[in-house]
Amino acid sequence: MGIEALTKEAPLGWPTPKPVHMSSRIRLARDLHNKPFPNWLKPSEKKDVLSICKNALSGIRALKQALFIEVPALEEQERQFLVERHLISRELAESKSGSAVMITPDQTCSIMINEEDHLRLQVLSGEMNFKALWEKIDALDTQIEEKLDIAFSSRLGYLTACPTNVGTGMRASAMLHLPGLVMSSQVDKVVRAVNQLGIAVRGMYGEGSEAVGSIFQISNQQTLGASEAEILKRLTSVLDSIIEQELNARTKLIETHSPRLFDKIGRAYGTLRNGHMVSSSEALNLLSLIRLAIDLGMLPQSYWTLVDRISIELQPAHLQYASNPQISVNERDIIRALRLREAFKTLPELDFDFPLKKV
Amino acid sequence: MGIEALTKEAPLGWPTPKPVHMSSRIRLARDLHNKPFPNWLKPSEKKDVLSICKNALSGIRALKQALFIEVPALEEQERQFLVERHLISRELAESKSGSAVMITPDQTCSIMINEEDHLRLQVLSGEMNFKALWEKIDALDTQIEEKLDIAFSSRLGYLTACPTNVGTGMRASAMLHLPGLVMSSQVDKVVRAVNQLGIAVRGMYGEGSEAVGSIFQISNQQTLGASEAEILKRLTSVLDSIIEQELNARTKLIETHSPRLFDKIGRAYGTLRNGHMVSSSEALNLLSLIRLAIDLGMLPQSYWTLVDRISIELQPAHLQYASNPQISVNERDIIRALRLREAFKTLPELDFDFPLKKV
């Protein structure tokens, strides 16, 4: 089965338009107790695991409508497309055999099979509400554990391929848009502070990726010696604090360096509306500034959805998938600029008075 | 006498709106035959020369309305203002005593006293017509020579402070806007070719200045062994050839690299309309691209005048002069961006189809 059904619509489940917080995610790592971890499986064993998992998952009600996709059978651009939607990891995209993913039609839930662990469950939401997300993934996990024999130690908790996941097997994260902290050079300070609380800060695509567009992924490091509820509570309180610092940074920027801030936003606006060659990372940086402009009241809030949708759609594989035949990077930059000009053609003029009056 | 009268209006005599050629200039170097050249004059002698020249010039009909300005009495920003209008040289602006300039109200004619030579006459025009310019400056020179004893050798011609001016004492130049040759990396080739014909290519403010905004000053090197008419004829034919090469380069750019060209123009347009901090040299580069857009038919020709006027008015001393009190470079960049946004607020959208249809 291909991914056509997914490419035809935007992932409507997220993000929800609002400042700073963009989306939240919880993922659980689970492994079959009587099988070696995926990296130790022989090809035939890997197929067995895949088939066992597929059978079990297909009997679960919440996954009735889900697409089952064998990743190695996909074209390179299709795999990249799923990575860009955060539905599979970069690691799974590179897998050569025996791996798959199940994705619900609303794209808020996916289950990777034979990634680092036998199963990686993930739920996504535009809301910050980790309690609701936890209830959703916990219910799914309970049903899965009714059908599969999951590796669990009464002393350690869930046993996973990498020791950093042992215990809850849970990684919860939120995407935060932090242009204020970036512009006022406070990100490093914030990262150091939250690291000491066992919280990691990464770029948009997790470990090792860059924070293009001032978007950061904030997640728990700890999985052992604390309950899921405790971990989520601590993460939420750190996120609340980062969001507050970001809002303070924005207020200070407006009060003290407005021409520099306004210049960045104005030029981004001008380039989106008039550029003819725009790379993927430049687009994300420009859209990040437009998102900030909306947050600050310089543009109507109704444009939040457009900015978020187009941030997803203009990624390389999304553009490539929408184009036929194969196009070069150069052509992609030209098409991306065209889409941006069309999308923002009717955007009203920036209102630079508003934030000043407000502060 | 100050320069208020000059600051209140734009130099209407030039440039004339049209593609590539922006303005033409002829200057003559003349020296009194019984006085050392200015750099060899003692302060009291310099004053004598100034007074002799002033008396003679004040009796000339064409200079009846001209302002007589003692340069050392001016504020730094006033001297810089005159340099930015090409009414005095950088050298004269730095002079400490005994120097002056006469400027006609329409700012198309100026006479520097005690620059490198005792007299430097200059006429400016928006037209390429060097014959008309020559007739104008020759008539002025004739009247001056009726009143002053000018150093002249029947063998060499006019004797001047620097040997490179001996003979005709004439330097004729044109400002050309050559973005096509710059973008297609052909400027060096053109410079080498015209150098071999005794023609110099310099930046906007003559020797040693940079070609900001793709604007180049093209002038004759030769002053000895040829008549003024011959020199002007040769210069005109070289200018015609450069203009043709520029127009060819533009056509090729549109035919082969349009996205890159359009991207540069589009971003310039976007930044002019939305930037909040723009330096003087960036402004010239942006305006240069807008001028090109008008030439190519992407914007109405009625905007040529605005672009040319604002290119002059947004120079540092012009902005400083229009502002009270003293402002910092940073504040100047903010005011410059504000002026640009206001000036181009009503500019229509770029028409990118037009040049393609045309080619």
Side-chain angles (χ1 to χ4, degrees):
Chain A
M1 180 178 250
I3 63 165
E4 296 83 357
L6 300 173
T7 63
K8 275 173 198 142
E9 45 192 328
L12 295 174
W14 63 283
T16 307
K18 63 193 168 311
V20 191
H21 176 266
M22 299 180 76
S23 64
S24 290
R25 185 181 78 122
I26 298 181
R27 73 111 172 98
L28 298 177
R30 296 291 185 257
D31 288 273
L32 305 182
H33 114 269
N34 53 354
K35 296 282 180 188
F37 294 122
N39 284 337
W40 278 264
L41 289 175
K42 289 175 202 144
S44 66
E45 295 174 314
K46 217 171 171 185
K47 277 194 181 165
D48 288 346
V49 168
L50 178 61
S51 144
I52 292 166
C53 291
K54 186 182 174 182
N55 282 341
L57 296 174
S58 62
I60 290 172
R61 233 240 219 113
L63 301 176
K64 268 271 150 58
Q65 308 288 324
L67 292 173
F68 178 83
I69 300 165
E70 299 210 21
V71 175
L74 297 178
E75 300 284 329
E76 166 63 22
Q77 71 183 46
E78 293 177 309
R79 279 177 271 150
Q80 207 45 49
F81 180 96
L82 296 177
V83 171
E84 289 175 1
R85 289 226 171 161
H86 298 276
L87 291 169
I88 66 172
S89 63
R90 287 179 175 179
E91 290 76 3
L92 197 75
E94 282 160 22
S95 135
K96 298 282 177 281
S97 70
S99 63
V101 63
M102 287 191 81
I103 302 170
T104 59
D106 66 359
Q107 303 175 43
T108 61
C109 175
S110 74
I111 301 175
M112 294 188 281
I113 303 172
N114 282 334
E115 203 241 24
E116 186 181 286
D117 297 290
H118 296 135
L119 290 172
R120 286 264 177 126
L121 292 57
Q122 147 178 296
V123 291
L124 278 164
S125 163
E127 304 297 331
M128 171 86 140
N129 192 342
F130 279 107
K131 195 166 169 287
L133 265 184
W134 169 250
E135 282 164 10
K136 185 174 174 184
I137 202 165
D138 188 40
L140 183 63
D141 183 43
T142 303
Q143 290 180 68
I144 289 171
E145 294 195 35
E146 281 166 9
K147 292 180 189 286
L148 292 170
D149 193 5
I150 297 295
F152 184 84
S153 140
S154 56
R155 196 170 58 89
L156 293 170
Y158 292 98
L159 301 175
T160 56
C162 179
T164 57
N165 289 313
V166 169
T168 59
M170 181 186 80
R171 187 85 62 219
S173 65
M175 292 285 189
L176 298 188
H177 181 228
L178 305 175
L181 293 173
V182 170
M183 271 188 230
S184 56
S185 310
Q186 291 185 69
V187 167
D188 286 351
K189 195 190 72 184
V190 170
V191 170
R192 276 196 304 273
V194 304
N195 282 350
Q196 293 188 339
L197 299 169
I199 303 292
V201 181
R202 300 189 174 96
M204 210 171 156
Y205 290 99
E207 221 160 329
S209 68
E210 269 182 67
V212 185
S214 301
I215 295 169
F216 294 85
Q217 190 188 78
I218 322 273
S219 62
N220 66 303
Q221 300 264 40
Q222 188 187 19
T223 55
L224 197 60
S227 71
E228 290 87 351
E230 284 165 353
I231 292 169
L232 292 174
K233 198 179 153 197
R234 197 175 315 141
L235 177 64
T236 303
S237 102
V238 168
L239 289 170
D240 285 342
S241 152
I242 296 176
I243 291 171
E244 196 186 325
Q245 291 177 69
E246 166 65 18
L247 294 175
N248 286 340
R250 293 180 184 185
T251 305
K252 282 225 181 70
L253 274 176
I254 288 180
E255 284 172 346
T256 59
H257 298 288
S258 53
R260 202 174 305 276
L261 173 70
F262 289 4
D263 191 54
K264 271 176 175 283
I265 290 175
R267 284 168 188 257
Y269 177 96
T271 301
L272 284 176
R273 290 188 56 156
N274 300 284
H276 280 250
M277 291 180 83
V278 178
S279 74
S280 175
S281 64
E282 185 186 14
L284 282 179
N285 285 325
L286 299 173
L287 291 166
S288 163
L289 286 160
I290 295 303
R291 200 176 208 281
L292 177 61
I294 299 170
D295 294 350
L296 295 175
M298 297 178 191
L299 287 170
Q301 297 197 349
S302 55
Y303 283 93
W304 258 327
T305 313
L306 174 63
V307 168
D308 287 330
R309 181 171 61 74
I310 214 158
S311 299
I312 294 167
E313 291 179 358
L314 293 186
Q315 298 178 94
H318 273 70
L319 266 192
Q320 181 60 69
Y321 202 87
S323 304
N324 221 336
Q326 197 70 19
I327 49 174
S328 68
V329 173
N330 207 36
E331 287 166 325
R332 224 151 53 202
D333 289 353
I334 293 167
I335 292 174
R336 186 178 292 111
L338 175 66
R339 295 275 169 81
L340 288 169
R341 291 202 309 280
E342 284 172 354
F344 292 106
K345 202 190 274 180
T346 58
L347 201 65
E349 293 292 312
L350 288 163
D351 177 5
F352 286 105
D353 291 331
F354 184 76
L356 284 183
K357 277 186 240 137
K358 205 174 128 195
V359 167
Chain B
M1 184 181 251
I3 62 165
E4 296 83 0
L6 301 174
T7 64
K8 276 174 198 140
E9 45 191 329
L12 296 175
W14 63 283
T16 307
K18 64 193 168 311
V20 191
H21 176 265
M22 299 181 75
S23 64
S24 291
R25 187 181 78 122
I26 298 181
R27 73 110 170 97
L28 298 177
R30 296 291 184 257
D31 288 274
L32 305 182
H33 113 268
N34 54 355
K35 296 283 182 189
F37 294 122
N39 283 335
W40 280 263
L41 288 174
K42 290 177 201 144
S44 66
E45 293 175 317
K46 214 169 172 185
K47 276 194 181 163
D48 288 348
V49 167
L50 178 61
S51 143
I52 291 165
C53 292
K54 185 182 177 180
N55 282 341
L57 296 174
S58 63
I60 290 172
R61 234 239 218 115
L63 301 175
K64 266 271 151 57
Q65 307 289 324
L67 293 173
F68 178 86
I69 300 165
E70 302 211 18
V71 175
L74 296 178
E75 300 286 330
E76 166 63 22
Q77 69 183 49
E78 293 176 310
R79 280 176 271 151
Q80 207 45 49
F81 179 96
L82 296 177
V83 171
E84 289 174 1
R85 288 226 172 162
H86 299 276
L87 292 168
I88 67 172
S89 63
R90 287 180 175 178
E91 291 73 3
L92 197 76
E94 281 160 21
S95 134
K96 298 282 177 282
S97 71
S99 63
V101 63
M102 286 192 84
I103 302 170
T104 58
D106 66 0
Q107 303 175 45
T108 60
C109 174
S110 74
I111 301 175
M112 294 190 280
I113 304 172
N114 282 333
E115 205 243 22
E116 186 181 285
D117 297 289
H118 296 134
L119 291 172
R120 286 265 177 124
L121 293 57
Q122 147 179 297
V123 291
L124 278 163
S125 163
E127 304 297 331
M128 172 88 140
N129 191 343
F130 278 108
K131 195 165 170 285
L133 265 185
W134 169 251
E135 281 164 9
K136 185 174 173 184
I137 203 164
D138 187 41
L140 183 64
D141 183 42
T142 303
Q143 289 180 69
I144 289 171
E145 294 195 36
E146 281 166 8
K147 293 180 188 286
L148 291 170
D149 194 4
I150 296 296
F152 185 85
S153 141
S154 55
R155 194 169 59 88
L156 293 169
Y158 292 99
L159 301 174
T160 56
C162 178
T164 57
N165 289 314
V166 169
T168 60
M170 181 185 79
R171 187 85 61 222
S173 64
M175 292 285 190
L176 299 189
H177 180 228
L178 305 176
L181 293 174
V182 170
M183 271 187 232
S184 55
S185 311
Q186 293 185 67
V187 167
D188 286 352
K189 193 190 73 183
V190 170
V191 169
R192 275 196 304 273
V194 304
N195 282 350
Q196 294 188 338
L197 300 169
I199 303 292
V201 181
R202 300 189 174 97
M204 209 171 159
Y205 291 98
E207 220 160 329
S209 68
E210 270 180 64
V212 185
S214 303
I215 296 169
F216 294 84
Q217 192 188 80
I218 321 275
S219 61
N220 67 304
Q221 299 264 42
Q222 186 189 22
T223 56
L224 198 60
S227 72
E228 291 87 350
E230 285 164 352
I231 293 169
L232 292 175
K233 199 179 155 199
R234 197 175 316 142
L235 178 64
T236 303
S237 101
V238 168
L239 289 169
D240 285 341
S241 151
I242 296 177
I243 291 171
E244 196 187 326
Q245 291 178 68
E246 166 65 17
L247 295 175
N248 286 341
R250 291 180 185 186
T251 305
K252 282 226 182 70
L253 274 176
I254 289 180
E255 284 172 344
T256 58
H257 297 288
S258 53
R260 203 174 304 278
L261 173 71
F262 290 3
D263 191 55
K264 271 175 174 283
I265 290 175
R267 284 167 189 259
Y269 177 96
T271 302
L272 285 174
R273 290 188 56 154
N274 300 285
H276 279 252
M277 292 180 82
V278 177
S279 73
S280 176
S281 63
E282 185 185 13
L284 282 179
N285 285 326
L286 298 174
L287 291 165
S288 163
L289 286 160
I290 296 303
R291 200 175 207 282
L292 177 61
I294 300 170
D295 295 350
L296 295 177
M298 298 179 194
L299 288 170
Q301 298 197 350
S302 55
Y303 282 93
W304 257 327
T305 313
L306 174 64
V307 168
D308 287 330
R309 181 170 62 73
I310 215 158
S311 299
I312 294 166
E313 290 179 359
L314 292 186
Q315 298 178 97
H318 273 71
L319 265 193
Q320 181 60 68
Y321 202 88
S323 304
N324 221 338
Q326 196 70 19
I327 50 174
S328 69
V329 173
N330 207 35
E331 287 166 324
R332 228 154 47 205
D333 289 353
I334 294 168
I335 293 173
R336 186 177 292 111
L338 176 65
R339 295 275 168 78
L340 288 170
R341 290 202 308 280
E342 284 172 353
F344 292 104
K345 202 191 277 181
T346 58
L347 200 63
E349 293 292 313
L350 288 164
D351 177 4
F352 285 105
D353 291 330
F354 183 74
L356 283 184
K357 276 185 241 139
K358 206 173 128 195
V359 168

